[in-house]
Amino acid sequence: MSSPIIQCKQLNHIYSGNFALNNVNFELAAGEPIGLVGPNGAGKTTLLGILSGFLHPTSGTVRLFDHPPGAKQLISKVSALPQDARLDPSFTIAVQLVFYGRLQGLTKPQALLEASRVLEAVSLTEISHEKPGTLSHGMAKRVAIAQALIGKPALILLDEPTAGLDPINVRTVRTIIAEQSSATTFIISSHDLAELDRLCQRILLLEKGILQSEILGQNEQQAATRFITLQMESAPAGEVITKFTAIAGVLQVTNPQKNEFIVEYNPALQAQMDLQLIQCINMNHWQYRQLSHGKSLEEKLFFSD
Amino acid sequence: MHPSFFNQLLLISQFELKRGFATRKGLLSIVTFGVVWYFILLYPLRFTADVLVEDNGSNQHFSFFDFIGFGSLQHWPIPEFGVFWHIALIIFPMLSVTLAADQTCSDRERGTLRFILFRSSRNRLFFGRFVGVMIIQTLLICATALSTLVLVLARDASLFASALPNLLVITLNLILAVLPFTAMMAALSATVKSARQATLWAILIWTFLAGIISGFAYYLPALSFFKLLIPGVQLAELTQLSGWQTLQLAYIPLLQSFILLAVGRWIMARQAL
């Protein structure tokens, strides 16, 4: 394993007598985007605030690239999209991005070029001479992501990057993250599990300030049993469960939501279970909307045994 | 390569200058100040100077100036500078309480400070903003001093050579006078949520501090030492001095600024953003 980019040891943070973070320990290596999930008040923003150096932990240690948060060695190496942070309404977007670039040690011509590059990365070159007050919520979010991309940092912390955005802007943000993730490790805090499922190979689950689990996507590939999630058009649930259960290798079929079925099977007995299920659907003249390997993130995090 | 402390201090203070002179809000403040100063220059300052010039040593008006606390006017060889000195000692500290009120508070509330702190430290930001606001005030002080010089030269152009040293000492003293007020606003701005709150707290704290310490010192003269904690405590004494004598009290604002900046830096370093 490569050396960790983030190390948290026995991290505690107390807000007015309550643990916002309670003995959080983890290490993260550079790589694919990492999701940070948990209910409201679970401590996600607090954790990101501590990693960013905006908050001081009550106790415990945090290291980013082997430096404490806020260290000057982290300039241009770590960046973030803080939740609800807005640019200064008095200056144009370009002026502020150039200023941030210059603070990162770029010369004025370099900072101008960098401001253009990051605005191009978020498809907003045309608004560089606008002031933040004239932007829509989606545009403002993309500009805030643009500032995080200045200097091509190795680690970017995104706190609710798609909160309150329309589907088109959500897709744009997802594309930006996917495009940049080859050079940058993203840590994304979000309530949008479908979004995280698409983007992240690894998930951290925080509940009541306690790190509950680290879920790794690749573990599924080595598991003794696997899952297939099926979204059906209206189909008789009882009959679907009976017919699927009858297929060789199927261990269990559950129906957690209307028209959604999760098939647990033994890959050693039936490696091509997806084809078997489609055949079964075809023979019974049912219709399906979607078939995906594995459980949805929501199932994995909140409804697994 | 990481930018040095002074490099970032310069960048942050330059950005404050841009805020002061190249934004709509900043320009509005400057223009308003300019208009107010124009009327001060045209009426109280010119009028009083004219009276003093006409008086020409007869002292018939000095009892009135003594009465309103402007007695030291007679010690100034150029009356316009004497009047400017008295007026500026009142106006600039007051201006400082409003002009320097928003050093960090609204940026902190809006979250803009977070964008900056990924690229700089809290110390650099705190001192950079303070330096920026001090430069803006210095430029305003210089502009008002030069406008007074123009008024003097319009009356008598031969006074130019003798006016320059006076102008320098007044400018220097005024910068020193606003220094602790700006430092107090830096500390308050690091604590409260808006510029308005910072101004209100500054007035309240200053009034209570001045009232309480002066009250205690009245009954226990040994406590007079604590008067040094009140920003602007030297101003009343300064109005009674003239020329280079005025710099003999420079240690007071310097000491106050040092303490207030240390307090502000301490608050900033511990502040959750």
Side-chain angles (χ1 to χ4, degrees):
Chain A
M1 184 179 159
S2 57
S3 61
I5 55 170
I6 300 178
Q7 283 177 300
C8 288
K9 285 182 189 163
Q10 297 172 332
L11 194 61
N12 292 296
H13 191 74
I14 298 174
Y15 268 136
S16 43
N18 297 317
F19 276 97
L21 292 176
N22 190 351
N23 196 28
V24 170
N25 291 283
F26 68 89
E27 283 190 0
L28 294 174
E32 291 293 313
I34 298 152
L36 178 61
V37 295
N40 289 333
K44 302 186 297 294
T45 298
T46 304
L47 179 59
L48 290 184
I50 289 172
L51 292 176
S52 308
F54 303 147
L55 295 172
H56 302 294
T58 308
S59 63
T61 56
V62 185
R63 310 286 288 178
L64 285 91
F65 298 97
D66 222 16
H67 297 287
K72 67 177 182 192
Q73 290 86 349
L74 298 178
I75 294 174
S76 294
K77 218 167 185 179
V78 179
S79 189
L81 164 70
Q83 194 180 18
D84 299 329
R86 287 168 291 140
L87 291 171
D88 193 324
S90 306
F91 298 97
T92 64
I93 309 293
V95 165
Q96 294 187 69
L97 294 182
V98 168
F99 173 55
Y100 296 158
R102 296 217 62 198
L103 283 177
Q104 285 180 223
L106 302 178
T107 61
K108 196 165 184 184
Q110 285 172 336
L112 281 164
L113 280 175
E114 188 64 359
S116 304
R117 184 190 73 80
V118 294
L119 282 175
E120 203 176 322
V122 297
S123 314
L124 283 176
T125 40
E126 72 281 3
I127 54 91
S128 64
H129 296 293
E130 301 282 337
K131 286 185 179 169
T134 62
L135 304 181
S136 68
H137 180 61
M139 284 171 148
K141 201 75 143 184
R142 279 153 63 193
V143 168
I145 293 174
Q147 68 73 35
L149 300 175
I150 295 173
K152 299 180 183 169
L155 172 65
I156 297 181
L157 312 168
L158 301 175
D159 197 358
E160 303 278 4
T162 55
L165 297 188
D166 60 43
I168 296 167
N169 274 307
V170 168
R171 195 174 186 146
T172 311
V173 170
R174 193 196 311 145
T175 310
I176 296 164
I177 295 169
E179 280 173 1
Q180 307 290 326
S181 62
S182 56
T184 301
T185 303
F186 286 89
I187 296 186
I188 308 161
S189 158
S190 179
H191 286 299
D192 189 343
L193 298 180
E195 201 57 50
L196 292 181
D197 215 358
R198 283 194 181 104
L199 286 167
C200 304
Q201 294 292 311
R202 196 171 175 191
I203 300 290
L204 298 177
L205 171 62
L206 266 175
E207 266 184 313
K208 292 178 183 167
I210 299 168
L211 187 65
Q212 295 290 354
S213 54
E214 289 181 57
I215 294 167
L216 298 165
Q218 56 267 40
N219 272 7
E220 236 165 57
Q221 299 303 316
Q222 289 113 37
T225 62
R226 290 188 197 169
F227 296 88
I228 287 177
T229 303
L230 262 163
Q231 293 284 340
M232 302 289 286
E233 293 288 347
S234 61
E239 202 181 331
V240 170
I241 292 172
T242 311
K243 293 272 172 76
F244 282 175
T245 313
I247 299 170
V250 171
L251 301 172
Q252 193 186 9
V253 180
T254 53
N255 179 209
Q257 292 184 80
K258 194 183 174 194
N259 293 330
E260 185 180 295
F261 298 89
I262 297 172
V263 180
E264 184 181 2
Y265 68 101
N266 183 343
L269 293 175
Q270 183 54 267
Q272 293 186 316
M273 183 56 76
D274 45 0
L275 293 178
Q276 295 295 322
L277 290 172
I278 289 170
Q279 245 174 19
C280 179
I281 289 166
N282 193 33
M283 279 167 61
N284 288 284
H285 306 292
W286 299 325
Q287 300 287 322
Y288 75 98
R289 277 187 194 165
Q290 194 182 339
L291 181 149
S292 52
H293 286 273
K295 284 181 178 179
S296 68
L297 191 55
E298 183 182 286
E299 282 292 329
K300 277 189 242 175
L301 291 175
F302 300 111
F303 300 102
S304 290
D305 297 332
Chain B
M1 197 183 116
H2 307 297
S4 69
F5 181 89
F6 287 105
N7 185 275
Q8 285 208 339
L9 201 75
L10 194 70
L11 283 170
I12 293 168
S13 53
Q14 270 176 356
F15 202 71
E16 285 313 289
L17 281 179
K18 209 178 268 185
R19 188 192 306 281
F21 295 108
T23 65
R24 195 180 299 170
K25 197 178 161 188
L27 277 174
L28 192 70
S29 306
I30 301 295
V31 169
T32 310
F33 177 77
V35 170
V36 171
W37 182 252
Y38 174 75
F39 284 106
I40 290 175
L41 197 69
L42 208 61
Y43 298 106
L45 210 145
R46 198 179 61 169
F47 171 76
T48 315
D50 284 349
V51 167
L52 290 169
V53 171
E54 281 169 25
D55 199 55
N56 201 19
S58 69
N59 288 338
Q60 69 180 84
H61 290 104
F62 279 112
S63 56
F64 167 71
F65 291 121
D66 276 331
F67 178 70
I68 62 166
F70 281 27
S72 69
L73 285 177
Q74 60 189 311
H75 304 305
W76 288 85
I78 300 170
E80 283 88 345
F81 284 159
V83 182
F84 171 61
W85 171 236
H86 281 75
I87 292 176
L89 275 182
I90 299 165
I91 283 182
F92 279 105
M94 278 167 63
L95 183 74
S96 191
V97 169
T98 53
L99 197 76
D102 195 8
Q103 291 182 50
T104 51
C105 52
S106 63
D107 270 4
R108 193 179 62 249
E109 284 305 299
R110 201 189 307 114
T112 314
L113 279 196
R114 297 178 179 190
F115 294 136
I116 299 169
L117 288 177
F118 264 108
R119 293 146 176 121
S120 189
S121 70
R122 294 180 187 222
N123 276 346
R124 292 172 188 201
L125 179 77
F126 179 77
F127 289 113
R129 291 270 168 109
F130 171 77
V131 170
V133 176
M134 271 311 298
I135 294 172
I136 292 173
Q137 293 180 101
T138 302
L139 291 174
L140 290 180
I141 289 168
C142 290
T144 53
L146 285 173
S147 66
T148 312
L149 177 68
V150 170
L151 199 71
V152 172
L153 297 181
R155 176 170 63 80
D156 184 353
S158 67
L159 289 172
F160 182 72
S162 57
L164 277 182
N166 277 311
L167 198 69
L168 188 68
V169 76
I170 291 175
T171 307
L172 198 61
N173 264 299
L174 287 175
I175 294 166
L176 285 170
V178 296
L179 207 59
F181 285 94
T182 311
M184 176 173 72
M185 296 320 289
L188 280 170
S189 192
T191 320
V192 301
K193 291 187 173 182
S194 68
R196 196 175 160 178
Q197 275 187 19
T199 304
L200 289 174
W201 275 110
I203 294 168
L204 283 175
I205 290 171
W206 190 88
T207 310
F208 279 102
L209 205 64
I212 290 167
I213 294 177
S214 303
F216 276 119
Y218 180 76
Y219 293 105
L220 285 167
L223 297 178
S224 294
F225 173 77
F226 288 103
K227 278 188 177 176
L228 290 179
L229 292 174
I230 308 166
V233 69
Q234 82 286 7
L235 295 183
E237 222 171 313
L238 269 181
T239 55
Q240 302 310 312
L241 301 173
S242 59
W244 292 102
Q245 289 177 317
T246 50
L247 282 176
Q248 70 194 36
L249 297 173
Y251 73 96
I252 299 175
L254 287 173
L255 186 71
Q256 288 172 341
S257 306
F258 180 77
I259 294 169
L260 287 163
L261 285 175
V263 170
R265 189 201 153 275
W266 184 82
I267 293 168
M268 190 77 180
R270 276 147 192 82
Q271 187 78 262
L273 298 168

